[in-house]
Amino acid sequence: MNTQAFITALEKNLYKVSHFATAEEAADYLDKSLDGREIGLACSATMSEMGLADRLAVHNTVYDPAEGNSEEDFLTLSKQCLTAEIYMVSVNAAAETGEFVNLDATGNRLAGSLFGHRKVYFIVTANKVEPTLEKAIRRARNVAGPEDAKRMGLTTPCAAKGDKCYNCSAPDRICNGMAVYLRKMEGVEEAEVILIDEAMGF
C-alpha cells in the first residue's frame, strides 16, 4: 500500500484522516476524542479486537448490537445506533483510490454509515486496502464475507469451503447488500478515517 497516496485520495474525497501505527494508538485517540457522547457501533470483528465498546462505554453511552442476547436485542440496539450522534464502522475493503466497500446481511451496518449522524468514523486496517476499487469489491465478497460467515458458524457454502463467494441462496447468507462509498456522504456532517497500519479483522 502506498500510504501517502491513499491518504491523499481519501482527503480528496472529503474524509478527515488520522493515521496510526497500531490499533492501540488508534483506540487511545478515539477514547480521548469522545467523551459524554452517544455512540453507535456497527458489528465489527476489527472494533471488537480493538476493545472499543468497553473503553468508550466508561464515559460515553454506547450502543453495540453485538452485545445483544437475542434477535430482539440486536434489532433494538441496531435501531438505537441509527439515531446516535456518532457512528463507527469498519470496512470490509478499501481501494487506494479512496473508496470503501462494505457487505451487510440485515442492513444496519450500511444504514448507519450513510446518513443522519453528526460524525461517522471508518476504521480501515492495512489488510483491507487494495490497489483498485475492483479488487476491493473482490476482497469484500471473496475474503471478508467468507471469513466472517465462517467465524459465525453459518451454513453458507462460503463458510463451509472458505475460498470465495458462491452467490448462494442460503437462509443465513450475510451478503444481502453491498455499499460502495465513492465519496463522503452529504447526509453525514463529518466523516473521519482511522487508518491503522496493522492487520485486523477480516
Side-chain angles (χ1 to χ4, degrees):
M1 173 178 63
N2 184 330
T3 303
Q4 189 52 56
F6 183 39
I7 291 174
T8 299
L10 291 169
E11 291 175 340
K12 183 179 179 181
N13 287 340
L14 304 181
Y15 296 105
K16 176 183 176 182
V17 181
S18 296
H19 180 208
F20 302 94
T22 68
E24 182 64 26
E25 291 171 356
D28 285 344
Y29 167 76
L30 290 169
D31 195 22
K32 292 174 183 176
S33 299
L34 299 167
D35 183 57
R37 312 294 281 275
E38 191 176 44
I39 304 169
L41 302 183
C43 296
S44 164
T46 298
M47 291 195 292
S48 178
E49 289 175 28
M50 293 173 69
L52 280 181
D54 289 340
R55 290 190 64 167
L56 294 172
V58 173
H59 52 101
N60 297 276
T61 299
V62 175
Y63 303 115
D64 183 5
E67 296 298 314
N69 295 316
S70 66
E71 182 67 19
E72 183 178 353
D73 287 346
F74 172 83
L75 293 174
T76 297
L77 288 165
S78 294
K79 290 176 182 177
Q80 289 172 318
C81 286
L82 297 183
T83 58
E85 180 186 14
I86 307 294
Y87 192 73
M88 292 186 181
V89 62
S90 61
V91 302
N92 292 137
E96 286 187 31
T97 45
E99 301 89 11
F100 307 133
V101 182
N102 263 336
L103 301 174
D104 203 354
T106 61
N108 62 301
R109 294 181 80 238
L110 301 187
S113 65
L114 293 171
F115 178 79
H117 300 287
R118 165 70 181 83
K119 185 167 185 174
V120 173
Y121 289 93
F122 291 91
I123 314 297
V124 181
T125 54
N127 54 315
K128 313 286 182 63
V129 183
E130 296 285 350
T132 66
L133 177 57
E134 180 182 17
K135 289 184 177 180
I137 293 172
R138 186 179 302 126
R139 184 195 190 282
R141 297 203 67 184
N142 296 294
V143 178
E147 286 295 324
D148 201 24
K150 184 177 180 180
R151 174 187 68 86
M152 297 170 66
L154 304 183
T155 61
T156 58
C158 71
K161 300 181 181 181
D163 56 348
K164 65 176 183 178
C165 173
Y166 288 84
N167 197 27
C168 70
S169 298
D172 52 356
R173 169 177 166 148
I174 62 170
C175 52
N176 294 326
M178 179 174 71
V180 176
Y181 308 77
L182 300 174
R183 203 164 184 257
K184 175 192 167 293
M185 300 297 293
E186 288 186 6
V188 171
E189 291 186 43
E190 184 179 358
E192 182 173 352
V193 176
I194 304 299
L195 178 60
I196 302 170
D197 289 338
E198 293 182 324
M200 303 187 75
F202 308 116

